[in-house]
Amino acid sequence: MLTKKQNLLETIHGGNPDRFVNQYEFIHIFMSDPYNASDPAPKYGQVNVTNKWGITKSWPEGTPGAFPVLDEEHRVLKDIDDWKKVIKAPKLVFSESSWEPAIKEVEGVDRNEQFVAPFVAPGLFERLHYLMGMEDAMVNFYEEPEEVKDLIKYITEWELEYADLLCSHLHPDALFHHDDWGSQKSTFFSKEMFEEFFVDAYKEIYGYYKNHGVELVVHHSDSYAEPFVPDMIDIGIDIWQGVMATNNIPEMIRKYGGKISFMGGINSATVDHPGWTREEIAKEVQRVCTEYGKDKHYYIPNIIQGLPVSTFEGVYETTSEEIDKMSKEMF
């Protein structure tokens, strides 16, 4: 029987996996590095918690995650022309002792079984609209493109500084990075705009990690983002996690399998809701495994949420159990 890590590599490289890769089983995602550990974030039910970027976030009860508060009082950047005066990236200066919890955590991972990956979120686009709001971000792409590019460069340089610290202290062999690039039905911007504003920046970020010991880049975008797949390959993404069922997953596997793999296919709203049942989860797991996983390569069945969790208790675990059942039927 292959290890979880071996089975993942056989799946994404077109080899001989002996079962489905079961959701996030192949990757240990850590958040114990001193930046993540010290950056304030709301817990479930908390409101108006301000982080080191000055972004205020809330996580109301009954919602799947935290999101920025962007009213006039709390929005960080009200005029893109003022960003150099207003936005101050957090200092990445930490004592050596502050790295000890993360070092201890990653040393405890069996790297024959799992990749070890830092959690980096939000990504470049999300950081933009967290700072100024979605509408202003979209308008500024058109009206103030040079200012937006300069701000993206500033955030990219901060991410590279952070990457250097993570790689030198913790030696990860994978990266788990968030940035949502679309809604359920469409991308947030055209392919041309994505390439103009984000491709070079992500090449630099993901290239840095891959030049410093990272073998596997997993990018979370729970969205429709099918037009961006060639660019995802170009910037170094190995697994697109969060791929919604609104994307043509079989066609993407056919066209791009061997260059990138797809993790998701189970839209959270389909199974992760009040009153969920094992029967509906089993039906959805069977659907994705037979539709997307019939050739056993380049696809990982997974609820699209951006961590190994579910909004409602038991959904993630039940989904994993049903994936195991399908592995026994199909392998």
Side-chain angles (χ1 to χ4, degrees), residues 12-240:
I12 69 172
H13 292 150
N16 294 296
D18 59 20
R19 61 196 185 277
F20 284 118
V21 177
N22 196 325
Q23 305 206 83
Y24 285 93
E25 66 175 1
F26 65 94
I27 191 168
H28 180 98
I29 301 166
F30 64 84
M31 304 180 194
S32 53
D33 65 273
Y35 173 73
N36 264 326
S38 63
D39 190 33
K43 295 181 174 60
Y44 182 74
Q46 283 188 315
V47 297
N48 292 349
V49 176
T50 302
N51 68 17
K52 291 183 175 183
W53 285 84
I55 296 164
T56 300
K57 298 177 75 176
S58 293
W59 191 349
E61 293 184 6
T63 62
F67 212 71
V69 180
L70 292 163
D71 56 23
E72 190 66 18
E73 177 186 354
H74 294 96
R75 192 163 74 252
V76 176
L77 185 61
K78 298 176 175 65
D79 187 332
I80 188 69
D81 291 332
D82 295 332
W83 78 262
K84 291 177 184 176
K85 292 182 282 186
V86 173
I87 296 173
K88 304 297 178 186
K91 298 293 184 184
L92 293 170
V93 179
F94 307 104
S95 67
E96 289 303 309
S97 62
S98 68
W99 287 92
E100 290 175 3
I103 292 171
K104 183 177 180 180
E105 179 179 350
V106 301
E107 286 180 345
V109 178
D110 182 353
R111 295 202 188 210
N112 293 315
E113 283 286 342
Q114 291 182 300
F115 289 91
V116 173
F119 176 82
V120 180
L124 299 177
F125 173 63
E126 288 184 339
R127 186 87 67 189
L128 286 179
H129 72 77
Y130 281 20
L131 288 164
M132 67 183 77
M134 182 68 81
E135 290 181 1
D136 283 2
M138 292 301 190
V139 169
N140 286 326
F141 282 127
Y142 290 96
E143 294 190 346
E144 298 287 351
E146 295 310 313
E147 292 293 339
V148 173
K149 289 175 184 177
D150 286 346
L151 178 52
I152 290 171
K153 182 179 180 181
Y154 179 76
I155 298 169
T156 300
E157 288 172 351
W158 181 88
E159 278 220 22
L160 290 168
E161 184 181 353
Y162 185 32
D164 178 66
L165 291 173
L166 290 169
C167 291
S168 61
H169 284 83
L170 301 172
H171 312 292
D173 53 4
L175 171 68
F176 187 64
H177 197 292
H178 275 221
D179 208 14
D180 289 341
W181 294 329
S183 69
Q184 182 171 333
K185 296 180 179 180
S186 68
T187 60
F188 288 136
F189 20 75
S190 68
K191 178 176 169 61
E192 292 75 19
M193 185 171 283
F194 180 69
E195 291 171 350
E196 178 182 353
F197 285 89
F198 294 108
V199 164
D200 286 345
Y202 268 112
K203 277 186 180 179
E204 196 171 1
I205 293 168
Y206 291 164
Y208 184 91
Y209 280 101
K210 288 202 168 182
N211 287 329
H212 290 79
V214 165
E215 179 182 350
L216 186 75
V217 170
V218 183
H219 183 100
H220 165 84
S221 179
D222 52 349
S223 60
Y224 173 82
E226 187 174 336
F228 298 160
V229 172
D231 295 308
M232 293 186 200
I233 295 166
D234 190 32
I235 64 181
I237 294 172
D238 299 290
I239 299 173
W240 169 15

